Amino acid sequence: MRMLYHALYWSIGYAVTLSQFKRALADYPGTDLLYLVNTHHFLSTLLSFGLLGYIVIPYILYHERTMKKRVAMLMGACVIYYALLSVNTYVLLRYVEAHFSNLPPYLARRVTMFSAAHWYDYVIDPSIAFFIYGHFISYLTIPLLIKAVRDGYARSRLQQQAEKKRRQLEYDKLALENEGIVKDLHFLRQQINPHFLLNAFNNIYTMIHRKDGRAADTLVNLSTLMRYTLYRTGNDFVPLSDELTFINGYIDMERIRHSRTDAVSCQLPYASTELKQWQVPPLLLVTFIENAFKHGLNAVYEGGWVRISLSTNPSEGRLTLSVVNNRPETPPAPKEGGLGLANARRRLALLFSPQEYELIIKDQPDQFVVWLSIPLRHVGETIETTKRTYEHAHPMLTH
C-alpha cells in the first residue's frame, strides 16, 4: 500500500513540474529539452528524498547522540548536500549548453550565471543559492514533512507498544511472585493446625495419663478450638474478638494442667463487640503464647511461669503483644518440628511490609521475651495479599 501511495504522489509531482517547465520553456521548439530538464529534476528530487528521508535524517535524529553532536552532523549534512546539488546543477547546465542551441531565456540566464561563477560564488552569491533551493530543495519539503509525521507516529506507536509489553511483563512477573506468596500463606496455615493439634493432644494425653478428671473439659474446649481452626481461619484476617476468644480458650486449656494459680499471668482485653470491627491474622498471636508454654512453664517440673499481655490502640490502629516465660535451667533436648516461630516470622513477612510490624525476640539467661506490634485492619477494609505486595514493590505503576 505504501508503494502505491509513493507511486501516486511522485506521478502527480512529475506532472506538476512538467507543466511548470512547459511554461518556462514555451519559447523553445520541440520537447526534448523539456523532458530532459523535467526528468533530471524528477530523478534528482526522488534520489534526494530517498537519501535524506531514509538514510541521513534517520541516522542523525533516530539514534542516541548528544544535542551538540546532532547539530554538528546536521550542519555537515546540509553542506555536503548543497555541494552535491551544486555539482549536479552545474553538470546539467553545461550539458544543455553543449547539446542545445538558442536556449530560452529561463535556461540561458542560468547557464551564463553558472558558467561564469567561481567555486566561492556558490557560497556567497545568493542568486545561485536561491536557484538551487527553488529548483530542488523546495520540492523536497512536503514529502520530507509527510515522512517526518509518519515516522513520528510510527515511533510513538512502537514506544507505546514497548511500554505496554514491559508493563505486562512486569505485571506477569509480579503475578507469579504473588501467586507463590499466596501458596506460601496457605501452606503455612496448613502447618499451623497440625502443629497446634499435636501439642494439644500431647497435653490431653498427659492429663489422661495422670488420671486428671479435668481431661474431659479440656477435650470439650479443644473441640471448640478445633472448630475455630477448621472453619474460621481460612482468610488472611479474622475479627479480633474471635481471635481473642480462641486465645482465652487455649490459655484456659493450659491453666488446667497446672495447680499454681500464679503460674500464668494473663492480661487480655475483653472480646467485646467493639473489637469485631478490627481484624488480625488468624492463629498468629497464639503461636508465640504456645511457644512460651511449651518451652517455659511446661518444660520444668516446678517454678515455671508465663506472663502474657495484649493491648490494642484503636486510635492508632495497633495491637501489641508481650509474652515472657521462664528459661529452664537445663535446655530441653531438640525435638522434631520447631515450626511455630519460623512460620510466624514467615507469615509476618508475607502479610505486612517491613515498616508495618515490629518483632523483638530476646533470649535472656533467665527468661525468654517476645514483643510484637502489628497494625489492626478494619473489617470494612479489603486487602488482598497480591495487590498489597504489588503496590509495595511498584508504587508508580499503581497510580
Side-chain angles (χ1 to χ4, degrees), residues 319-358:
L319 179 146
T320 302
L321 172 68
S322 173
V323 181
V324 185
N325 62 272
N326 65 288
R327 284 290 307 274
E329 296 181 0
T330 303
K335 296 183 180 181
E336 183 179 358
L339 296 174
L341 291 181
N343 283 356
R345 291 178 183 272
R346 178 63 174 159
R347 290 184 69 201
L348 285 169
L350 293 176
L351 290 169
F352 305 108
S353 67
Q355 297 78 18
E356 286 185 305
Y357 76 94
E358 184 177 4

Side-chain angles (χ1 to χ4, degrees), residues 2 10 57 59 65 155 160 180 192 215 253 267 310 339:
R2 290 178 57 191
W10 293 109
I57 293 178
Y59 179 76
R65 290 186 175 86
R155 287 172 62 83
Q160 291 177 358
I192 290 171
M253 189 177 65
Q267 296 179 1
L310 190 150
L339 296 174

Side-chain angles (χ1 to χ4, degrees), residues 71-298:
V71 171
M73 293 180 69
L74 282 174
M75 294 178 63
C78 290
V79 171
I80 294 174
Y81 180 64
Y82 180 76
L84 291 176
L85 285 182
S86 299
V87 172
N88 181 49
T89 304
Y90 179 82
V91 171
L92 169 66
L93 294 178
R94 296 294 291 180
Y95 180 86
V96 169
E97 182 183 21
H99 293 82
F100 296 90
S101 59
N102 299 322
L103 295 176
Y106 173 79
L107 282 180
R109 291 193 302 270
R110 272 71 180 180
V111 169
T112 302
M113 180 175 59
F114 275 82
S115 299
H118 298 87
W119 66 269
Y120 52 82
D121 291 326
Y122 288 87
V123 179
I124 64 175
D125 190 346
S127 300
I128 295 178
F130 287 151
F131 175 75
I132 293 176
Y133 173 81
H135 195 65
F136 294 106
I137 301 178
S138 61
Y139 290 91
L140 284 173
T141 305
I142 294 178
L144 286 179
L145 285 177
I146 293 175
K147 187 175 187 305
V149 172
R150 182 192 173 279
D151 287 350
Y153 176 75
R155 287 172 62 83
S156 177
R157 287 288 302 275
L158 289 175
Q159 290 176 354
Q160 291 177 358
Q161 292 175 0
E163 179 65 16
K164 183 178 180 180
K165 184 177 181 180
R166 185 191 67 80
R167 287 175 177 267
Q168 185 62 41
L169 290 174
E170 190 74 16
Y171 180 80
D172 291 343
K173 179 181 178 181
L174 288 170
L176 290 175
E177 293 176 356
N178 294 329
E179 182 180 354
I181 289 175
V182 172
K183 289 181 179 179
D184 284 348
L185 283 172
H186 290 167
F187 175 71
L188 291 174
R189 280 200 296 266
Q190 289 171 358
Q191 285 185 315
I192 290 171
N193 293 345
H195 185 250
F196 166 74
L197 291 176
L198 177 63
N199 290 331
F201 281 124
N202 285 337
N203 292 342
I204 295 175
Y205 171 77
T206 301
M207 296 177 67
I208 294 175
H209 183 70
R210 294 175 180 176
K211 298 181 180 181
D212 191 329
R214 296 171 297 176
D217 294 335
T218 304
L219 188 60
V220 172
N221 190 16
L222 176 60
S223 67
T224 302
L225 300 182
M226 287 181 60
R227 189 178 301 110
Y228 176 79
T229 61
L230 289 174
Y231 300 113
R232 302 299 301 276
T233 61
N235 298 322
D236 290 339
F237 293 87
V238 295
L240 175 59
S241 58
D242 294 348
E243 190 70 9
L244 287 175
T245 301
F246 174 83
I247 292 174
N248 275 309
Y250 174 79
I251 295 175
D252 289 342
M253 189 177 65
E254 287 287 354
R255 275 197 175 108
I256 295 177
R257 298 180 54 190
H258 304 280
S259 58
R260 287 176 42 234
T261 57
D262 61 342
V264 180
S265 174
C266 182
Q267 296 179 1
L268 299 179
Y270 175 69
S272 63
T273 55
E274 296 180 357
L275 295 182
K276 286 184 176 292
Q277 63 179 325
W278 300 105
Q279 292 181 316
V280 293
L283 304 180
L284 175 66
L285 304 177
V286 75
T287 302
F288 301 102
I289 298 173
E290 177 191 6
N291 188 77
F293 279 105
K294 178 179 179 182
H295 298 287
L297 182 59
N298 297 339

Side-chain angles (χ1 to χ4, degrees), residues 28-47:
Y28 189 83
T31 58
D32 293 345
L33 181 60
L34 171 64
Y35 283 105
L36 171 66
V37 173
N38 190 65
T39 302
H40 174 270
H41 174 273
F42 172 78
L43 292 178
S44 298
T45 305
L46 186 61
L47 290 175

Side-chain angles (χ1 to χ4, degrees), residues 381-394:
E381 183 180 0
T382 302
I383 298 180
E384 297 178 1
T385 304
T386 300
K387 178 180 179 182
R388 179 175 55 254
T389 306
Y390 183 85
E391 292 175 349
H392 285 323
H394 295 270

